[in-house]
Amino acid sequence: MKTIYILLTKSDTILSRLIHFITTDSYTHVSISFEENLQPLYSSSRKNGRTMFPAGPCMEYLWGGYYQKHASKIPCMLYELQVDEETYIRARREVQRIIENSEEYHYNIFGLLLCQFNIPFHRKRHYFCSQLVGEVLDKSSAVNLPKDTSLMKPSDYTRLPELSLEFQGFLRELAVRRNRILTG
């Protein structure tokens, strides 16, 4: 068996605060990783780490950049999904395909807004974070999602019976558990 990691976070960025205000969900962002050290994470988010746009599919680094700087203030939940080797490879290939062509992809801001009204919306090569993770899990047959990928919110991942909660706390505590030292 192989493990896929799903990390939920809630940062203090403008978009995160807006999503939290609208949804009141505890977590506003979701990423996926295939490595125990969570390096890298994959999601649809800001691409340069400093400004909201450009955004789209990207690699995120938990032990550096924004996450490292704000680790003591960012709540998180880490889930593990046990899958067979074939499913793991399919999921990883799907992420690699998207990341290798990331310049062709964009952030699905309209889909994010319509998701709040429970209106499915697919736009070619556009994803918001929980939609991208859902697409990867769906296309690899890792889980049967309870709804369309364009309607998945970060909080929906907490209710998937196939995922097991590994950690809940702040990123700094997760780093300590993963034998990493963060500054900031």
Side-chain angles (χ1 to χ4, degrees):
M1 294 299 275
K2 300 288 269 182
T3 305
I4 297 174
Y5 301 90
I6 308 293
L7 180 70
L8 283 74
T9 56
K10 181 181 169 281
S11 68
D12 199 28
T13 64
I14 292 169
L15 186 57
S16 179
R17 287 185 298 202
L18 180 61
I19 292 169
H20 175 69
F21 177 77
I22 293 169
T23 66
T24 68
D25 289 341
S26 298
Y27 297 94
T28 57
H29 186 66
V30 63
S31 307
I32 188 170
S33 183
F34 300 94
E35 305 298 332
E36 187 176 3
N37 68 3
L38 306 177
Q39 295 286 76
L41 291 156
Y42 302 96
S43 189
S44 188
S45 183
R46 61 184 69 213
K47 289 188 177 188
N48 67 18
R50 293 179 301 280
T51 60
M52 190 182 308
F53 296 104
C58 61
M59 291 187 289
E60 300 173 319
Y61 295 94
L62 190 58
W63 316 127
Y66 183 86
Y67 278 134
Q68 181 177 9
K69 186 176 180 184
H70 302 280
S72 62
K73 298 183 276 184
I74 297 178
C76 68
M77 292 177 82
L78 178 64
Y79 285 89
E80 293 183 353
L81 172 63
Q82 299 297 317
V83 296
D84 61 42
E85 181 91 23
E86 188 176 312
T87 302
Y88 179 87
I89 290 169
R90 282 194 311 265
R92 193 171 189 135
R93 281 186 184 152
E94 181 64 18
V95 167
Q96 288 171 341
R97 182 188 64 75
I98 292 169
I99 295 299
E100 285 172 2
N101 299 293
S102 64
E103 68 283 348
E104 299 173 14
Y105 289 82
H106 306 283
Y107 194 80
N108 189 2
I109 192 74
F110 297 117
L112 178 66
L113 296 171
L114 292 172
C115 177
Q116 300 311 313
F117 298 104
N118 207 34
I119 301 170
F121 179 75
H122 290 275
R123 190 171 170 199
K124 189 174 183 180
R125 295 190 179 110
H126 285 71
Y127 297 114
F128 52 90
C129 66
S130 49
Q131 181 182 21
L132 183 136
V133 171
E135 287 283 327
V136 170
L137 296 176
D138 185 58
K139 285 184 179 179
S140 65
S141 301
V143 296
N144 290 318
L145 297 175
K147 53 179 124 176
D148 187 89
T149 58
S150 70
L151 297 177
M152 290 295 290
K153 298 176 184 176
S155 60
D156 292 323
Y157 292 92
T158 67
R159 294 184 287 280
L160 293 178
E162 299 90 347
L163 274 60
S164 60
L165 181 62
E166 166 63 24
F167 175 82
Q168 183 173 7
F170 289 90
L171 283 181
R172 179 168 308 286
E173 298 163 8
L174 178 59
V176 169
R177 274 188 115 190
R178 298 285 170 154
N179 296 319
R180 300 297 299 225
I181 298 173
L182 297 178
T183 60

